[in-house]
């Protein structure tokens, strides 16, 4: 469970922006060197400042502000992008810039005027002088019935810094989700086999492993945040706010790990209502605490992070309390907490590969993005807009993969091979059907969907080229992912992970540098998805069939 997305955010840019390989520098240094092309985000001349402005201006709107103040040097990119984004929102923008170096209206100053910003200069080297003037202007506006919002130089507030932490948050929460998959499968297997002692050992071992994992991530977040954020090239002016946000957010990691543990146990025996109920309660509490900490206490993103940590603790408490009150073999008894070496090894063997699988797909998609980058900027923007459908459709299909692993493991443990096969085919049918229906809806409603992320007709047309190929390809991935879940349900994880690496990473890289390099068309690039899914699915199905026969 993660409440990171509850932070107010506007969609001003077209994301994700592409990675671009620097061929000459890579050749000189014999390293593969890439840059992130945030200049292609679709706002004015682009830049990573737009990511921060999406959060800052969302807060400005939430507070009911009608005038936005910011500052910088005379040719400040941040000031220019602020003017562009504020104009798009229909608000008033006042830029109070340092006078040093101003000779005439050129460069970004011309764009500031085009975007309708009120540009003023102060003959000072101190931003504190400019901030004092901004505060005075805000007080004057308040007396006139208006409300101003101040964005510091470069947008360097803690709120703007949150965008720098999303990669780390996603990475670590993804690992905990993968770990919980291993717990889910193992508990389901022993529960279906009616081995109450093994269920008991697994549940209590899993509780300890989850708690240790959560504490480990907490320590990593508290001690390693500065190093990790610098590794991600976080701007120096953003580091203090980003570090503070991560450290507060990571206080909830042990609770998040324990909630995922409880969710895995309940889901393994077929009870998904309790986890949903507790998650809903925690979500409502998170919203309320966000409003209190951010608006009443003026804690900005520290308040958001604190609200997330508290709500995660509440959800963990509720689900653990429910487990302690269960009258069955999967009940949690604090007096019986003990790490069983055999069960612990099995949990890690099942959970760690599942967590690594997300990273493998990310690496493969890096090379695909390099292929997208070889087209013009319109195609890059269109691809970024259309890619927003991926997560929506994949997540809906993934619900059946988890159900597949749980029910297959239960029936496998119960010695019911007929139901093992039946669970696989039913899950496969549902996931394929969901992918087909949602893909078809995306195909026929593609322009309307893309219009949620961009207003440029040319970008929508470019995005539809991706949609035309992908819309009816999503359902193909069900054969791969559902079979991987099925193998996991039988306790097999290493070989399926190796097959995914070969089929969804190595094969895609080879495709990009051979078939796509030869034809260099959008269909030639995107066809690698259904082709790699088909190839991987065939290998996964063959492996699953051999395991099932044994």
């Amino acid at each position: 469970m993660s409440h990171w997305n509850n932070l107010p955010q506007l969609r001003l840019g077209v994301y994700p922006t592409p990675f671009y390989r620097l061929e000459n520098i890579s050749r000189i240094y014999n390293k593969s060197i890439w840059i992130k092309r945030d200049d292609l985000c679709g706002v004015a001349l682009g830049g990573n400042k737009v990511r921060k402005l999406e959060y800052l201006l969302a807060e400005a709107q939430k507070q009911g502000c009608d005038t936005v103040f910011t500052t910088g040097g005379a040719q400040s990119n941040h000031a220019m992008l602020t003017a562009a984004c504020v104009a798009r929102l229909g608000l008033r923008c006042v830029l109070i810039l340092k006078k040093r170096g101003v000779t005439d209206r050129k460069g970004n100053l011309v764009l500031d005027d085009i975007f309708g910003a009120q540009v003023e200069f102060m003959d000072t080297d101190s931003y504190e002088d400019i901030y004092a003037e901004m505060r005075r202007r805000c007080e004057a506006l308040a007396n006139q019935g208006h409300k101003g919002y101040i964005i510091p130089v470069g947008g360097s507030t803690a709120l703007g810094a949150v965008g720098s932490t999303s990669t780390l948050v996603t990475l670590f929460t993804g690992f905990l989700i993968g770990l919980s998959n291993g717990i889910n499968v193992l508990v389901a297997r022993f529960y279906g086999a009616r081995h109450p002692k093994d269920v008991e050992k697994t549940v209590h071992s899993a509780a300890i492993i989850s708690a240790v994992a959560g504490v480990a991530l907490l320590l990593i977040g508290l001690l390693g945040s500065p190093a990790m954020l610098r590794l991600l090239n976080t701007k120096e002016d953003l580091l203090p706010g980003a570090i503070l946000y991560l450290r507060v957010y990571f206080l909830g990691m042990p609770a998040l790990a324990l909630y995922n543990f409880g969710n895995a146990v309940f889901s393994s025996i077929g009870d998904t209502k309790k986890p949903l109920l507790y998650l809903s309660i925690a979500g409502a509490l998170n919203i309320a605490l966000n409003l209190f900490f951010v608006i009443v206490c003026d804690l900005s993103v520290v308040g958001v992070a604190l609200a997330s940590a508290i709500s995660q603790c509440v959800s963990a408490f509720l689900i653990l309390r429910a487990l302690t009150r269960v009258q069955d073999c999967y009940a949690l008894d604090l007096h019986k907490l003990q790490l069983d070496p055999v069960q612990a090894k099995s949990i890690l063997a099942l959970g760690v590969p599942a967590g690594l699988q997300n990273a493998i797909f990310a690496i493969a998609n890096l090379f695909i993005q390099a292929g997208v980058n070889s087209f013009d900027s319109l195609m890059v923007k269109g691809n970024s807009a259309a890619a927003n459908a991926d997560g929506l459709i994949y997540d809906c299909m993934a619900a059946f993969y988890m159900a597949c692993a749980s029910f297959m493991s239960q029936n496998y443990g119960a010695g019911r091979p007929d139901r093992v096969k039946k669970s696989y085919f039913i899950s496969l049918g549902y996931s394929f059907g969901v992918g087909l229906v949602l893909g078809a809806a995306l195909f026929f409603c593609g322009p309307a969907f893309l219009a949620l992320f961009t207003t440029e007709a040319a970008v929508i047309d470019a995005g539809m080229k991706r949609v035309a190929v992908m819309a009816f390809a999503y359902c193909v991935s069900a054969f791969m992912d559902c079979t991987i879940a099925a193998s996991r349900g039988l306790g097999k994880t290493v070989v399926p992970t190796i097959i995914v690496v070969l089929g969804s990473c190595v094969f895609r890289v080879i495709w990009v540098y051979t078939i796509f390099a030869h034809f260099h068309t959008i269909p030639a690039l995107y066809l690698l998805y259904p082709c790699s899914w088909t190839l991987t699915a065939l290998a996964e199905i063959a492996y699953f069939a051999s395991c099932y026969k044994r």
Side-chain angles (χ1 to χ4, degrees):
M1 180 187 65
S2 174
H3 303 289
W4 191 88
N5 289 328
N6 287 329
L7 194 65
Q9 178 186 10
L10 298 172
R11 286 297 179 187
L12 300 175
V14 180
Y15 297 112
T17 52
F19 285 93
Y20 184 82
R21 190 173 189 272
L22 302 178
E23 299 291 347
N24 293 332
I25 295 179
S26 297
R27 186 166 52 252
I28 292 172
Y29 292 100
N30 196 28
K31 302 285 186 181
S32 185
I33 302 174
W34 300 70
I35 60 173
K36 182 74 167 165
R37 293 294 303 274
D38 269 14
D39 57 308
L40 299 176
C41 72
V43 178
L45 299 181
N48 60 6
K49 295 292 192 294
V50 177
R51 294 181 183 272
K52 295 180 288 184
L53 289 169
E54 289 187 341
Y55 294 96
L56 295 167
L57 294 178
E59 185 184 33
Q61 281 193 332
K62 186 176 180 179
Q63 294 181 9
C65 300
D66 53 26
T67 304
V68 176
F69 293 87
T70 196
T71 184
Q75 293 295 332
S76 167
N77 286 327
H78 158 71
M80 179 270 293
L81 288 169
T82 301
C85 293
V86 170
R88 180 173 174 179
L89 298 176
L91 306 178
R92 178 173 173 243
C93 182
V94 178
L95 306 179
I96 304 180
L97 309 176
K98 286 187 175 181
K99 190 175 183 180
R100 183 186 295 273
V102 178
T103 55
D104 53 17
R105 294 283 197 187
K106 61 182 180 181
N108 282 344
L109 290 175
V110 175
L111 293 175
D112 295 338
D113 289 336
I114 292 175
F115 295 135
Q118 177 181 327
V119 182
E120 303 177 17
F121 299 98
M122 283 189 66
D123 192 6
T124 179
D125 288 326
S126 172
Y127 280 117
E128 289 304 320
D129 293 340
I130 297 177
Y131 294 149
E133 175 63 16
M134 288 179 175
R135 289 191 291 269
R136 188 189 67 77
R137 298 282 188 91
C138 285
E139 292 176 1
L141 285 173
N143 293 332
Q144 299 170 10
H146 298 280
K147 190 173 183 179
Y149 184 82
I150 297 175
I151 299 178
V153 57
S156 301
T157 65
L159 183 57
V162 168
S164 305
T165 68
S166 59
T167 300
L168 295 175
V169 171
T170 302
L171 173 65
F172 292 121
T173 55
F175 173 78
L176 292 179
I177 292 172
L179 185 63
S180 68
N181 286 338
I183 298 170
N184 174 276
V185 169
L186 207 58
V187 174
R189 182 191 306 167
F190 291 132
Y191 189 79
R194 300 183 185 279
H195 293 166
K197 289 296 182 182
D198 288 327
V199 172
E200 181 180 299
K201 291 178 182 179
T202 302
V203 168
H204 291 90
S205 296
I208 295 174
I209 291 174
S210 298
V212 170
V215 172
L217 293 182
L218 167 62
L219 295 176
I220 290 173
L222 292 178
L223 302 177
S225 292
M228 290 186 292
L229 288 168
R230 287 192 174 93
L231 186 63
L232 293 175
N233 295 321
T234 304
K235 298 291 185 182
E236 287 295 328
D237 56 345
L238 293 178
L239 272 176
I243 291 171
L244 180 59
Y245 174 84
L246 266 186
R247 284 175 170 169
V248 175
Y249 182 90
F250 270 70
L251 292 175
M253 276 296 172
L256 178 59
L258 291 173
Y259 171 82
N260 284 336
F261 151 73
N263 178 43
V265 173
F266 277 117
S267 298
S268 68
I269 54 93
D271 186 352
T272 58
K273 293 181 180 179
K274 285 189 179 71
L276 177 60
L277 174 62
Y278 303 146
L279 187 64
S280 300
I281 293 173
L285 176 64
N286 183 67
I287 294 173
L289 291 176
N290 274 333
L291 296 174
F292 176 74
F293 288 140
V294 175
I295 297 177
V296 178
C297 301
D298 196 25
L299 292 179
S300 190
V301 292
V302 174
V304 174
L306 188 58
S308 295
I310 292 174
S311 59
Q312 285 167 354
C313 290
V314 169
S315 63
F317 169 76
L318 292 174
I319 205 162
L320 291 178
R321 187 185 66 167
L323 275 176
T324 59
R325 295 184 174 184
V326 167
Q327 300 297 320
D328 205 340
C329 58
Y330 62 90
L332 179 65
D333 186 342
L334 299 181
H335 297 95
K336 295 182 180 180
L337 282 176
Q338 184 177 355
L339 190 66
D340 183 90
V342 175
Q343 304 306 336
K345 183 179 179 180
S346 298
I347 291 170
L348 294 176
L350 288 167
V352 173
L356 294 177
Q357 188 170 311
N358 293 332
I360 294 170
F361 280 113
I363 294 171
N365 288 334
L366 183 67
F367 291 92
I368 298 172
Q369 188 64 60
V372 175
N373 295 346
S374 63
F375 296 96
D376 58 31
S377 60
L378 283 177
M379 189 59 66
V380 173
K381 294 176 185 177
N383 171 81
S384 298
N388 286 289
D390 293 353
L392 175 64
I393 297 177
Y394 289 148
D395 286 347
C396 292
M397 298 173 69
F400 296 99
Y401 306 149
M402 187 170 185
C404 176
S406 296
F407 284 108
M408 286 195 64
S409 188
Q410 278 191 25
N411 289 304
Y412 176 65
R416 301 293 299 272
D418 56 328
R419 290 192 175 184
V420 168
K421 184 167 63 174
K422 187 176 181 180
S423 297
Y424 168 65
F425 284 116
I426 290 176
S427 300
L428 178 60
Y430 277 128
S431 56
F432 177 85
V434 168
L436 182 62
V437 171
L438 292 180
L442 177 65
F443 180 80
F444 292 109
C445 304
F449 175 80
L450 295 174
L452 297 173
F453 306 98
T454 179
T455 57
E456 298 181 52
V459 174
I460 292 176
D461 290 340
M464 283 303 299
K465 292 184 178 180
R466 185 186 198 275
V467 170
V469 178
M470 294 296 296
F472 295 103
Y474 291 116
C475 57
V476 178
S477 68
F479 292 94
M480 176 187 73
D481 289 320
C482 195
T483 308
I484 293 173
S487 295
R488 192 177 297 138
L490 298 181
K492 309 296 183 181
T493 58
V494 176
V495 173
T497 300
I498 293 174
I499 294 174
V500 169
V501 171
L502 295 176
S504 293
C505 188
V506 176
F507 176 80
R508 291 182 181 183
V509 174
I510 294 174
W511 181 289
V512 168
Y513 287 105
T514 55
I515 296 176
F516 170 69
H518 176 73
F519 293 101
H520 200 261
T521 62
I522 283 294
L525 178 62
Y526 290 135
L527 280 173
L528 72 80
Y529 281 105
C531 288
S532 65
W533 287 334
T534 300
L535 180 66
T536 307
L538 290 173
E540 295 284 4
I541 291 172
Y543 176 73
F544 169 70
S546 66
C547 292
Y548 176 78
K549 290 178 181 179
R550 291 198 298 265

